[in-house]
Amino acid sequence: MRTRTLGRTDVEVTELSYGAAGIGNLYRPVTDEEAAAAIDAAWDAGIRTFDTAPHYGLGLSERRLGEALRDRPRDTYTVSTKVGRLLVPADGDGDGDDLANGFAVPATLRRVWDFSADGVRRSLEASLDRLGLDRVDIVLLHDPDDHAEQALDEAYPALERLRGEGVVGAIGVGMNQSALPARFLRETDIDVVLLAGRYTLLEQEGLTELLPEAAVRGRSVLIGGVLNSGLLTDPAPGATYDYAPAPESVLDRARRLKAVTERHGVPLRAAALHFPLGHPAVASVLTGARSTDEVRDTVEQLRAPVPATLWDELRAEGLLAPDVPVPSPVEGAPSPKEPS
């Protein structure tokens, strides 16, 4: 699987990254064995970039990912985690679950927003302990939407110091919007942005400001949420978009996309996985998987050829703007050299 380097750093990512929210029991439980098998399947497919966060299952994702990677040579893979939410003991007896936050885990801990310099260091130290690692390759400020000034004034300088000390290789921000990450690109020296759901086959908000800013400055973007909460897997009635029922107008657009891709013999989800890699600033597409079958299907879709005529028809149908960059016909083909 092809690799790309983040910005001006030496940190390499595979063009497909493994998102570990699912093995943090996102929405439903996953066993330790299922989680380990999913990561093994990702490894066997050539994926060497793994993204996690304390938020995912109140630390469960980090613990499971660290355990699954423990016996693999440390210099053969890239790990990304996030800061901004500290995990502290829950009030009371900790009964109940964390499903209100999306994770089927016991609510023995609670999240506390903290984008202070001390909070960044404490969060990273706790993540390293859960992962069983002495370093991570990428650290991202996680969802600082309501904490922009503290994140810029306190958290970012702390990450910059950690990068300078060699504790981390690349630093950045991970969000579901594009405006604030674009501000980070202009005002700081971050290396990478993880943009979720805002640069997909369905919508290209990220192309307005963030992606051009990254390209001009030589920074990199990781794209998450490429299936828009599953809508670009199967745009059927009841499908979700941004984790809520899809509006009829959005559902209709997704159905039109599906009709075009299927006329070219390409599953909608395959075109959705390929699409972001057409932009020169995009280094990797990040997708979540909780099972070996999901991992293998994702890899298969990314390796499937997508003809240039598909993108041409999407433009002709008004489903893609004429200036939106698209992958070349060879995007997604198996690389002649797989990582060891």
Side-chain angles (χ1 to χ4, degrees), residues 61-285:
S61 172
E62 290 182 316
R63 290 194 296 273
R64 283 175 163 171
L65 179 62
E67 181 61 31
L69 295 175
R70 187 150 294 134
D71 294 330
R72 306 185 193 275
R74 181 61 188 91
D75 61 353
T76 62
Y77 60 85
T78 296
V79 171
S80 167
T81 194
K82 306 179 184 75
V83 296
R85 293 173 173 92
L86 291 175
L87 302 181
V88 302
D91 299 328
D93 55 16
D95 285 344
D97 57 44
D98 191 51
L99 281 171
N101 295 296
F103 295 92
V105 296
T108 55
L109 300 170
R110 61 185 177 89
R111 302 165 182 83
V112 176
W113 290 104
D114 193 333
F115 287 95
S116 68
D118 178 65
V120 165
R121 285 189 174 269
R122 288 168 57 199
S123 180
L124 181 56
E125 287 171 2
S127 289
L128 290 172
D129 183 62
R130 287 186 290 268
L131 286 161
L133 298 175
D134 60 3
R135 63 179 174 85
V136 291
D137 306 282
I138 307 165
V139 178
L140 304 171
L141 303 176
H142 199 184
D143 297 334
D145 303 68
D146 298 325
H147 310 270
E149 300 312 317
Q150 186 182 36
L152 283 160
D153 296 342
E154 300 179 40
Y156 165 72
L159 286 185
E160 191 177 49
R161 286 191 292 272
L162 289 167
R163 183 179 60 186
E165 295 165 6
V167 178
V168 301
I171 60 175
V173 59
M175 300 187 71
N176 296 290
Q177 57 142 304
S178 61
L180 185 55
R183 181 181 173 191
F184 270 90
L185 286 170
R186 289 192 302 270
E187 298 181 15
T188 74
D189 191 34
I190 60 171
D191 306 297
V192 60
V193 169
L194 170 54
L195 180 65
R198 303 284 81 85
Y199 188 65
T200 72
L201 190 60
L202 184 70
E203 60 173 289
Q204 292 91 49
E205 174 192 308
L207 197 59
T208 303
E209 183 180 12
L210 189 151
L211 285 159
E213 196 76 46
V216 166
R217 295 176 182 274
R219 316 294 169 81
S220 296
V221 180
L222 311 176
I223 299 295
V226 293
L227 300 177
N228 286 111
S229 303
L231 181 61
L232 296 185
T233 297
D234 182 19
T240 56
Y241 166 76
D242 277 354
Y243 309 103
E248 189 60 34
S249 60
V250 174
L251 191 57
D252 178 68
R253 184 177 182 85
R255 287 169 176 155
R256 292 175 61 203
L257 289 165
K258 182 179 181 181
V260 172
T261 65
E262 290 189 344
R263 280 199 290 273
H264 293 265
V266 177
L268 177 59
R269 66 189 187 283
L273 284 166
H274 283 254
F275 169 73
L277 293 169
H279 196 285
V282 174
S284 181
V285 169

Side-chain angles (χ1 to χ4, degrees), residues 15-35:
E15 64 182 351
L16 183 62
S17 297
Y18 180 91
I23 63 168
N25 288 8
L26 180 64
Y27 303 132
R28 63 178 177 82
V30 173
T31 68
D32 290 343
E33 293 75 17
E34 288 170 332

